[in-house]
Amino acid sequence: MKKIIALLACLAMGALTFGEVVAWKGMEFGIEQNPKWLRSLVEKHDERPARKKFDIAKNARLFYGTGNAPDLESARNYAAADCMQKALGAESDARTVSGLSPVYEYWEQDDETGYTVTAIFAQENR
């Protein structure tokens, strides 16, 4: 009987002790997790917060690409390729992209899906 009471007491203490979920938003290495400017850029296609954060000139064109892969390097390459594809699509009859420079890269890691990278590039208008 004492063992059952001790077990119930341990379970009750465990439920009270570990019942709180802690959100670690922005805690790792001082990097903002799920930044609002990135969500605004990707979901709402609003470039203003990203331009303000990275001090991108108004005459520069802004492109972003997303890549998913099991390893970080492949996800980064897919994101850059997606960005290049968008830049090529924006220029009519272009076969190469010139003047495209990286601005920022944001990545997240998930145990099941691997890495998701969002790369942002700017291109000065000629």
Side-chain angles (χ1 to χ4, degrees), residues 46-99:
D46 183 12
E47 297 178 352
R48 290 175 296 168
R51 286 182 183 275
K52 184 177 179 183
K53 179 164 180 69
F54 299 110
D55 195 29
I56 299 170
K58 289 183 180 182
N59 65 341
R61 295 166 57 186
L62 197 63
F63 298 100
Y64 68 91
T66 308
N68 298 317
D71 62 302
L72 181 59
E73 201 58 39
S74 295
R76 292 176 77 196
N77 290 335
Y78 291 146
D82 185 34
C83 207
M84 299 290 178
Q85 214 170 22
K86 288 178 181 177
L88 281 171
E91 295 182 17
S92 59
D93 297 331
R95 293 187 182 191
T96 61
V97 178
S98 62

Side-chain angles (χ1 to χ4, degrees), residues 90-109:
E91 295 182 17
S92 59
D93 297 331
R95 293 187 182 191
T96 61
V97 178
S98 62
L100 202 62
S101 58
V103 174
Y104 189 77
E105 188 176 81
Y106 180 81
W107 59 271
E108 295 176 343
Q109 182 182 8

Side-chain angles (χ1 to χ4, degrees), residues 3-19:
K3 289 182 181 181
I4 293 173
I5 292 174
L7 177 64
L8 291 175
C10 286
L11 290 175
M13 289 298 289
L16 292 174
T17 305
F18 299 108

